Amino acid sequence: MPLRTRTLPAAALLCAGALLTGCGAGTDAQAPPAVTDAKPGDAPGRPEAQTVPVADISGLGPRTMAEIPADSRQVLVVTGEGRDSSASAVALHVRDPEKGWQRTAGPWTAHNALRGWTEEHREGDLRSPIGVFGLTGAGGLLPDPGTALPYDQGPEFTISGRGFEGEPLDGSFDYVVAIDYNREPGTSPLDRARPMGGERGGGIWIHVDHGGPTQGCVSLSLEHMRELLRALDPGLHPVVVMGDARTLRR
């Protein structure tokens, strides 16, 4: 059943950009010092890693493929141009029991975080987390476009201000899909729980592109967000595989 819009405390009715620092930022914000990436580790909310016993997905190496859960038959791949790049491409794949992995949508152009990617995401580092994460909740300012995911609609998804390149952020949260990085799977994208602690960041979403880098999210055009929401199938246990191209080829 879709999630119903809930009445939140007054503090939660501020723009989502202030609530969820993984997404859009104003140009007046001071960027924190660069972060040195640590070795990857297991993270709450990340699906259990198992080997997928079918043909590999193009662009993903054996180590990355091994992190995809065996029961996941739908994979969204976000491939960054470089470790420090905010440009990326997104493609959706479905696993056919006879033919293996088949690309069913994309590649679509996308943005990720201003400073690129990291395997040890920290609050405010302006990098998107690398890894394999579940896709179990969606929402937005606009009505449900026809997704099978639980969908939370409401004014809490309003955002204003300008991004890193001076572009307006209005409409960025018209549609969002929550990435299960440091959050409770299956809850509303607005859920504030952070199993790994607040210092590890959170509020990492796939949302509508505003024409520039994000604070940590992945952004797609409005048209492609609608297409993605309609394609994601909870029965296929969808996950997102995200990172820079070199890391994903491992």
Side-chain angles (χ1 to χ4, degrees), residues 96-139:
D96 182 276
E98 296 181 356
K99 299 178 180 179
W101 289 104
Q102 307 290 309
R103 190 176 73 196
T104 57
W108 302 320
T109 58
H111 282 102
N112 52 270
L114 177 69
R115 289 182 173 167
W117 300 91
T118 178
E119 292 172 307
E120 190 75 11
H121 178 62
R122 296 285 173 178
E123 178 72 21
D125 65 8
L126 299 182
R127 291 181 181 269
S128 298
I130 294 171
V132 178
F133 310 102
L135 300 173
T136 58

Side-chain angles (χ1 to χ4, degrees), residues 7 29 80 97 109 118 124 126 161 180-181 189-190 199 207-208 219 230 232:
T7 301
T109 58
T118 178
L126 299 182
D180 289 347
Y181 167 81
L190 297 171
E199 71 279 2
H207 63 68
V208 177
S219 60
R230 291 167 180 161
L232 289 175

Side-chain angles (χ1 to χ4, degrees), residues 123-213:
E123 178 72 21
D125 65 8
L126 299 182
R127 291 181 181 269
S128 298
I130 294 171
V132 178
F133 310 102
L135 300 173
T136 58
L141 183 65
L142 298 181
D144 183 351
T147 185
L149 293 175
Y151 191 88
D152 190 3
Q153 182 200 0
E156 298 86 2
F157 290 95
T158 301
I159 184 172
S160 60
R162 293 190 175 271
F164 292 109
E165 298 180 354
E167 76 280 8
L169 300 178
D170 304 72
S172 298
F173 301 156
D174 282 355
Y175 297 121
V176 309
V177 177
I179 294 172
D180 289 347
Y181 167 81
N182 196 19
R183 75 179 222 103
E184 296 292 344
T187 59
S188 165
L190 297 171
D191 186 78
R192 298 288 294 171
R194 300 289 181 261
M196 294 187 292
E199 71 279 2
R200 294 299 303 275
I204 306 297
W205 293 351
I206 304 167
H207 63 68
V208 177
D209 188 66
H210 45 75

Side-chain angles (χ1 to χ4, degrees), residues 45-148:
R46 179 177 296 179
E48 182 181 354
Q50 298 181 41
T51 301
V52 177
V54 295
D56 292 351
I57 297 173
S58 177
L60 303 187
R63 177 173 167 182
T64 303
M65 288 297 300
E67 293 181 2
I68 300 174
D71 64 353
S72 291
R73 292 178 287 144
Q74 194 172 47
V75 170
L76 188 71
V77 179
V78 181
T79 306
E81 289 187 1
R83 186 76 167 200
D84 301 320
S85 173
S86 63
S88 52
V90 174
L92 184 65
H93 300 76
V94 173
R95 189 177 67 187
D96 182 276
E98 296 181 356
K99 299 178 180 179
W101 289 104
Q102 307 290 309
R103 190 176 73 196
T104 57
W108 302 320
T109 58
H111 282 102
N112 52 270
L114 177 69
R115 289 182 173 167
W117 300 91
T118 178
E119 292 172 307
E120 190 75 11
H121 178 62
R122 296 285 173 178
E123 178 72 21
D125 65 8
L126 299 182
R127 291 181 181 269
S128 298
I130 294 171
V132 178
F133 310 102
L135 300 173
T136 58
L141 183 65
L142 298 181
D144 183 351
T147 185

